[in-house]
Amino acid sequence: MKTKDQENLPLLLKGVLLLENVGEIFTSTVKIRILDVSHIDMKSIILTELIQVVTTKMDQTEIPFKIFGPKPDPALSYIVDATIFIKKENKEKKTLYRTTESIPVFLDGYPDTVKIPLMKI
């Protein structure tokens, strides 16, 4: 479902985050970003990001997502990365899962639906 900020933006990417069996119920924040990595001598630029709160189930191994945003420039190179974290009582973030490899998107031969494996931290 689109938020009010996303109403006029196209769907860029959909897919699932793949988790190891979580074995517990917890509420966390998922952050998925599409990054422009065209210039190796510069910090990656965020094309768009999705931040949502999810509650996992005991046997959950997938979290579906859809990302809306501005159209990517076909001359640039993009990757997608993801992090799942919780905020502790003292407001610090604790990372629970994250991507450990670059996953290219928007290239010829790459689908608009991705599966993103996350490693438990």
Side-chain angles (χ1 to χ4, degrees):
M1 182 163 79
K2 289 185 179 184
T3 66
K4 187 154 180 82
D5 293 338
Q6 299 169 333
E7 282 180 2
N8 297 318
L9 297 174
L11 173 64
L12 294 184
L13 190 67
K14 59 185 173 182
V16 293
L17 302 178
L18 302 173
L19 310 172
E20 299 171 13
N21 189 340
V22 295
E24 61 182 305
I25 298 172
F26 60 86
T27 299
S28 59
T29 302
V30 173
K31 179 162 65 170
I32 304 169
R33 301 180 305 168
I34 298 176
L35 304 171
D36 170 0
V37 293
S38 302
H39 307 284
I40 59 171
D41 58 343
M42 292 175 47
K43 185 176 178 179
S44 299
I45 298 169
I46 299 172
L47 174 68
T48 190
E49 69 180 5
L50 168 69
I51 299 174
Q52 67 183 33
V53 175
V54 298
T55 299
T56 59
K57 299 175 183 156
M58 293 287 281
D59 58 351
Q60 187 165 355
T61 58
E62 295 184 353
I63 299 173
F65 68 88
K66 290 181 181 179
I67 298 181
F68 298 86
K71 289 195 175 227
D73 181 338
L76 301 177
S77 298
Y78 298 94
I79 64 167
V80 61
D81 79 356
T83 305
I84 298 177
F85 61 90
I86 59 172
K87 286 193 178 180
K88 297 176 119 185
E89 291 177 18
N90 60 2
K91 305 267 181 180
E92 280 185 37
K93 291 181 187 175
K94 178 183 179 192
T95 301
L96 302 176
Y97 293 88
R98 70 171 179 208
T99 50
T100 58
E101 60 187 72
S102 296
I103 300 173
V105 289
F106 311 134
L107 298 173
D108 287 339
Y110 287 92
D112 62 357
T113 301
V114 295
K115 292 184 177 183
I116 304 174
L118 298 180
M119 175 179 267
K120 192 170 188 171
I121 303 300

